[in-house]
Amino acid sequence: MAATSRHFPLCVHRTSENVKGKPFVSCSAQPSQTNIKVVVNGAAKEIGRAAVVAVTKARGMEVAGAVDSHFVGEDIGQVCDMEEPLEIPIMNDLAMVLGSISQAKETGVVIDFTDPSTVYDNVKQATAFGMKSVVYVPRIKLDTVGALSALCEKASMGCLVAPTLSIGSILLQQAAIAASFHYNNVEILESRANAQDLPSMDAVQISRNLSNLGQMYNKEDLSTDVLARGQVLGEDGVRVHSMVLPGLPSSTTVYFSGPGEVYSIKHDITDVQCLMPGLLLAIRKVIRLKNLVYGLEKFL
């Protein structure tokens, strides 16, 4: 069942100055607070279904719409195997969903789990209806992010583009940045259950972060052209090795080495649920934005 909020009068006991020792009760109504209306675009995907459940259980927000090209017309609560239906049908028309919500003039956020090719148009539609956006779409191009930034700046509308929603992944990246100032040798080892989109966005983002520090790594590596040595990301010598083994958790390990020691940082993802705390944080933060922010780490 969708989360609801009730507002009861606030009753304060005070002592009257005219009648000594006899308290009276003064009741004043609490100011009404409405939940954030959340539209999940890509609701039938695994992460979309997890988001629907997480938003439904969270305080201060509720699912107001579900958009996908699959299971059209079916109740999103039933698609998510929830105990009770949410009485929200999945629709394949984002503009129609946004239009119905915008008429109520309530705070709204669109979560985009779709595809890099549709992100710009989706955010543009959300902006036109006065709604903020949280974008979690792996492989989104930086050119698209730049175009979205210009769009949001012009409209004074908030948007959060998150390369990852995993707080653990962000903490690993921050630890890697801190370690990079103390070690000259670094390599990334990752494992995934399938060979789709490798190297992963996590590995790419770590490499970008380390490359932006202006250092060169692995200067003494003489095996640059040996294929078995993995792929060099960027121009600063950061290597990534990707293992594909069904049954393994999605794992990222960053190895640093110096004279006489090896320092490693590891993060494992075993379930899509790990992304939900970051998603809820993103929803709560984006409603205050009036421009585009890249990276959930800005709010940690």
Side-chain angles (χ1 to χ4, degrees), residues 60-129:
M61 62 184 72
E62 62 183 87
V63 177
V67 181
D68 207 294
S69 58
H70 298 86
F71 303 103
V72 175
E74 296 190 31
D75 184 273
I76 185 58
Q78 294 179 326
V79 172
C80 296
D81 295 324
M82 300 178 70
E83 292 183 359
E84 298 183 24
L86 293 180
E87 299 182 358
I88 298 174
I90 297 177
M91 303 181 68
N92 61 357
D93 190 333
L94 177 61
M96 183 178 296
V97 175
L98 297 179
S100 63
I101 297 173
S102 66
Q103 292 178 0
K105 296 183 179 180
E106 295 183 286
T107 302
V109 174
V110 179
I111 309 172
D112 197 322
F113 295 132
T114 58
D115 184 84
S117 63
T118 61
V119 166
Y120 183 85
D121 288 339
N122 294 340
V123 174
K124 186 176 181 180
Q125 287 189 65
T127 300
F129 284 100

Side-chain angles (χ1 to χ4, degrees), residues 11-69:
C11 297
V12 181
H13 288 78
R14 298 174 181 169
T15 301
S16 171
E17 294 180 356
N18 297 326
V19 184
K20 293 183 179 181
K22 292 185 178 181
F24 71 93
V25 178
S26 173
C27 295
S28 61
Q30 288 271 33
S32 177
Q33 295 181 350
T34 58
N35 289 339
I36 303 170
K37 308 301 181 184
V38 179
V39 176
V40 183
N41 192 5
K45 295 183 177 182
E46 181 185 12
I47 187 173
R49 298 195 303 270
V52 168
V53 175
V55 169
T56 301
K57 292 180 178 179
R59 296 182 63 181
M61 62 184 72
E62 62 183 87
V63 177
V67 181
D68 207 294
S69 58

